[in-house]
Amino acid sequence: MKSYMRKEKGKIAADVDSIGFFDFARGIGIIGVLMGHSILLWYPMTFTDRPFGNLNSVIGSSIMAMFFMISGYGFQRRKMKKCLKTQAKILLKPYWISVSCIIGMKLLLSFLRQRSFWKFGGQYIFSYLFAINAGVAGNYGGKIFGLAVDDVAMMWFFVALFGGWVLCNAITKVQNIRIQFCLVFLCLCVGIYMTYISDIWPFVLPQIFQAAGLLFVGYIVKKYYLLVRRLPIQFWLIGGSVVLVSAVWGGVDMYTCVWKLGLLDYASIVILGFIMMYFFSRLETRGNHKFFYDFIVNIGGKTQIILCIHAFDEKVLPWHWLKEYFKDECWFGCIVSFTIRCVFVFCAYQIVKYINVNFIRKWRKKRKHIQLNIQI
């Protein structure tokens, strides 16, 4: 295997066997997510039949596909029990902590503003309990046991990634690589077909099947060293054609279950997501470590907690006030919204970091010390 490992000022940079060099890509991606959600406040995503009318959806979904593939790049096959335990700790634990913070804050705001929690916050109980995604026309809008139901919003990524890891782990236990590909293709067909039955599902089931395919692609990319190989001209011609067709006539949104061209749209975000991975790997291995690069890498290393904080601000902060205030100055409103999100994420991260360092870690050390004394 060709190595891009190099030495700079006494330090050895990460090579392509390390998932660390994708932090720059994830940093750019998470900034794109914050920026995109700020723009969507004034310019909601709509799907048209005009050529290139849905290009933004293809690019945005390719960024999400890249996130999944980067995760798959670090995939390691484990015993199913260990896989469930590990992924539950990594993904479901922050999911439920974030959900508890959102509902807890809604409860507090209801008390402070003297309003009904069931009307202004209760709609999230079943939304998060059943991980219900939003459809093309918006959230579920129905009721369960008389309680209104919203949608799971940003937290869908955690549930889909958890389910995708479990499926991918099960598939890779099969020894025959051809059967593995067949099983992955079956998952993709099921995931895409389910979106034609309904665009709203509990436990984001279609996204779980789709995520398994993206994780498997990341796993194959690493297994066959595709990031350090010179890609043949056939890939650029065929892959470029697929992406072009999807960009012209397709339309993709994993969260709201939109796949206008079905598997062709899925192939396009896989190809474009892989090209992004390929580009960022070359950028890292050939570029110089400067302030901007290190800053983005630092953000990329905190992707998970930033997504959790962003999920909180999406549901708790009164964005509708900002939308009304800047209804005649939309682009300026987008800039203000993005700035507020960045400041909020930074401040919230500092609070979480302070709590973790000064309380949680000390509590864990104290508990470990007590357990050690008991054993002695």
Side-chain angles (χ1 to χ4, degrees):
M1 172 185 172
K2 182 181 177 182
S3 175
Y4 280 94
M5 186 176 287
R6 68 188 188 284
K7 197 170 185 179
E8 293 182 355
K9 296 182 180 179
K11 295 181 180 180
I12 298 178
D15 69 334
V16 291
D17 275 335
S18 170
I19 197 171
F21 77 91
F22 281 127
D23 281 344
F24 185 81
R26 289 190 290 195
I28 293 293
I30 198 65
I31 291 173
V33 169
L34 294 174
M35 190 177 296
H37 288 175
S38 298
I39 294 173
L40 287 174
L41 282 173
W42 286 268
Y43 301 95
M45 184 178 293
T46 56
F47 292 92
T48 70
D49 294 326
R50 294 183 292 104
F52 293 104
N54 305 316
L55 177 62
N56 59 332
S57 72
V58 176
I59 296 174
S61 296
S62 298
I63 293 174
M64 293 306 301
M66 181 187 69
F67 279 129
F68 282 107
M69 286 190 284
I70 288 174
S71 182
Y73 192 87
F75 175 82
Q76 292 180 349
R77 186 168 58 245
R78 297 183 174 96
K79 291 182 179 180
M80 187 54 69
K81 185 177 179 179
K82 186 175 182 181
C83 175
L84 288 168
K85 185 177 179 180
T86 303
Q87 296 309 313
K89 182 178 180 181
I90 294 174
L91 297 169
L92 295 188
K93 185 178 179 180
Y95 174 87
W96 288 115
I97 291 174
S98 301
V99 168
S100 300
C101 290
I102 291 170
I103 295 178
M105 182 56 70
K106 285 291 184 179
L107 188 62
L108 178 62
L109 289 173
S110 297
F111 173 76
L112 294 175
R113 302 186 66 179
Q114 296 295 303
R115 63 187 187 186
S116 171
F117 166 73
W118 303 111
K119 187 176 180 181
F120 297 94
Q123 69 270 30
Y124 299 127
I125 294 176
F126 287 116
S127 307
Y128 289 117
L129 186 62
F130 295 114
I132 300 174
N133 71 292
V136 179
N139 58 46
Y140 175 65
K143 294 184 177 181
I144 299 178
F145 298 119
L147 195 62
V149 179
D150 201 85
D151 64 278
V152 73
M154 279 299 303
M155 301 309 292
W156 76 271
F157 179 78
F158 290 81
V159 180
L161 191 56
F162 172 80
W165 266 85
V166 174
L167 273 177
C168 192
N169 190 69
I171 290 171
T172 53
K173 284 185 177 295
V174 178
Q175 297 300 318
N176 192 308
I177 188 66
R178 293 182 180 179
I179 297 178
Q180 289 182 9
F181 275 101
C182 290
L183 290 173
V184 169
F185 183 73
L186 179 62
C187 284
L188 300 183
C189 291
V190 171
I192 299 296
Y193 180 72
M194 289 176 73
T195 64
Y196 295 131
I197 298 175
S198 174
D199 58 354
I200 298 177
W201 286 85
F203 307 111
V204 290
L205 287 174
Q207 289 86 346
I208 285 177
F209 286 104
Q210 296 156 16
L214 295 171
L215 289 168
F216 186 78
V217 171
Y219 166 73
I220 292 298
V221 167
K222 183 175 182 181
K223 183 176 180 179
Y224 293 102
Y225 310 130
L226 298 184
L227 292 181
V228 294
R229 291 184 176 182
R230 187 178 297 276
L231 298 177
I233 188 66
Q234 293 91 332
F235 168 81
W236 297 104
L237 291 175
I238 298 174
S241 300
V242 172
V243 172
L244 182 62
V245 170
S246 180
V248 176
W249 293 289
V252 188
D253 190 340
M254 288 184 69
Y255 179 54
T256 59
C257 294
V258 175
W259 300 91
K260 288 190 69 176
L261 300 181
L263 288 173
L264 189 65
D265 274 335
Y266 190 93
S268 72
I269 68 168
V270 168
I271 294 168
L272 195 53
F274 170 72
I275 291 174
M276 290 178 184
M277 289 175 65
Y278 193 82
F279 167 76
F280 282 118
S281 69
R282 292 302 187 276
L283 182 68
E284 197 281 334
T285 53
R286 295 181 182 181
N288 295 320
H289 290 264
K290 294 183 179 180
F291 173 79
F292 173 75
Y293 179 82
D294 291 336
F295 175 73
I296 300 298
V297 167
N298 190 37
I299 293 174
K302 300 173 177 62
T303 300
Q304 188 182 69
I305 189 170
I306 291 175
L307 284 175
C308 291
I309 295 171
H310 179 44
F312 181 88
D313 82 59
E314 278 282 282
K315 294 298 186 182
V316 174
L317 297 187
W319 295 109
H320 60 280
W321 292 356
L322 200 64
K323 186 177 179 180
E324 283 294 321
Y325 189 80
F326 292 104
K327 61 182 179 181
D328 297 325
E329 299 174 311
C330 298
W331 277 109
F332 186 71
C334 293
I335 295 171
V336 173
S337 173
F338 176 68
T339 304
I340 292 174
R341 289 182 195 273
C342 291
V343 172
F344 181 84
V345 167
F346 175 78
C347 294
Y349 172 75
Q350 295 302 321
I351 294 172
V352 171
K353 183 180 177 181
Y354 179 83
I355 293 173
N356 185 47
V357 172
N358 293 279
F359 296 99
I360 297 177
R361 288 185 183 178
K362 289 183 178 180
W363 176 76
R364 286 176 179 171
K365 288 180 180 179
K366 185 176 180 181
R367 187 180 66 171
K368 187 176 180 180
H369 180 70
I370 293 172
Q371 290 175 347
L372 183 63
N373 288 338
I374 293 173
Q375 291 175 0
I376 294 174

